[in-house]
Amino acid sequence: MAGGNSVAPSPPACMSADRVRGLRYPACSAPHGAVRSITGQGSPQEKQVSAQRWRLDGQTALITGASAGIGLAIARELAGFGADLLIVGRDPDALEMARDELVDAFPDREIHGLAADVSDHEDRREILDWVEDHSDGLHLLINNAGGNITKPATEYTEDEWRGIFETNLFSAFELSRYAHPLLARHAASAIVNVGSVSGLTHVRSGAVYGMTKAAMHQMTRNLAVEWAEDGIRVNAVAPWYIRTRRTSGPLSDPDYYEEVIDRTPMRRIGEPEEVAAAVGFLCLPASSYVTGECIAVDGGFLRYGF
């Protein structure tokens, strides 16, 4: 305990699921073995433990909005680490193309797709029923689906702003709640929410989008604390402009593009794979002591002063 005399006992280097003062330790944490293996002094078992910190073999990931862009890049990233995939998207044809691409790239992985609209309550229930049919519980949930309509706050119709909330926020909350018992079956599982810098500062994406992402970031913090005792870590990423089909319109304006670049210290647009890499890290055993965090994937945008 920080600042006190009471210290929680250290767990064994590799254990499936044990509790020490209400905490769960994921399998193969072994920080000391990992250090020794880097220097070449670890035993073969310790080296194997260290390697497993960077693998997701035997784990199943549910990814929403996975037919293109950031969602598809996340699917590739997690499959590359060894995870089996359950991918969801609204467009059946685009989803099937994405699944075919993933199956070709990762023939040893189990990859299933379901066409569903996460903004629809009944579809959310169907998604979780489908997950139970295809896996023994769930290890990873990636709430990536999102959408936006950019306009001044006074010009939204009620259907428009409510629809953005359903897609961006309510879907993530309900899917997380529905998935909780499936995630809790395992000693260590994780949720990663794909937020946005729009939820951390003003950008020109509109008030409604920013509201949904700010609420998603707070939901991440609350669930991380509430579900820690169940062995479920909850984190988020907050991208800035990423090169996707959705951003191609505004970025095609040369003046607007230059404004974006001028506000980005790294002076370039991000790639979907860079967001996927951050999501992948938050899913790995290597991040087993990280929860309640929001990692900005923004080329320094949020840190740029005058």
Side-chain angles (χ1 to χ4, degrees), residues 285-301:
S287 65
S288 58
Y289 204 49
V290 179
T291 196
E293 292 298 320
C294 180
I295 298 177
V297 186
D298 68 349
F301 167 75

Side-chain angles (χ1 to χ4, degrees), residues 164-174 211-212 215-216 219:
I164 296 170
F165 266 83
E166 288 287 353
T167 300
N168 295 0
L169 179 63
F170 300 155
S171 69
F173 181 57
E174 286 215 305
M211 290 159 63
T212 63
M216 172 180 271
M219 179 189 76

Side-chain angles (χ1 to χ4, degrees), residues 198-218:
S198 301
L200 297 167
T201 190
H202 168 265
V203 296
R204 301 175 204 176
S205 55
V208 178
Y209 186 77
M211 290 159 63
T212 63
K213 294 303 184 177
M216 172 180 271
H217 298 162
Q218 185 58 43

Side-chain angles (χ1 to χ4, degrees), residues 184-195:
R185 289 183 192 176
H186 305 286
S189 52
I191 297 172
V192 182
N193 298 313
V194 179

Side-chain angles (χ1 to χ4, degrees), residues 27-28 48-61 77-85 106 108-110 138-140 186 188 280 283-286:
C28 304
Q48 181 182 15
V49 166
S50 179
Q52 288 172 343
R53 291 166 66 101
W54 301 96
R55 295 292 301 170
L56 294 171
D57 300 291
Q59 299 197 30
T60 300
E77 187 80 5
L78 300 189
F81 284 125
D84 296 324
L85 305 177
F106 305 99
D108 295 332
R109 305 274 72 80
E110 288 287 329
L138 188 66
H139 300 84
L140 305 167
H186 305 286
C283 291
L284 286 165

Side-chain angles (χ1 to χ4, degrees), residues 115-132:
D117 183 354
V118 298
S119 69
D120 182 87
H121 177 75
E122 294 302 321
D123 278 17
R124 294 171 198 157
R125 297 295 321 190
E126 182 183 348
I127 290 168
L128 267 296
D129 290 341
W130 172 70
V131 169
E132 290 195 85

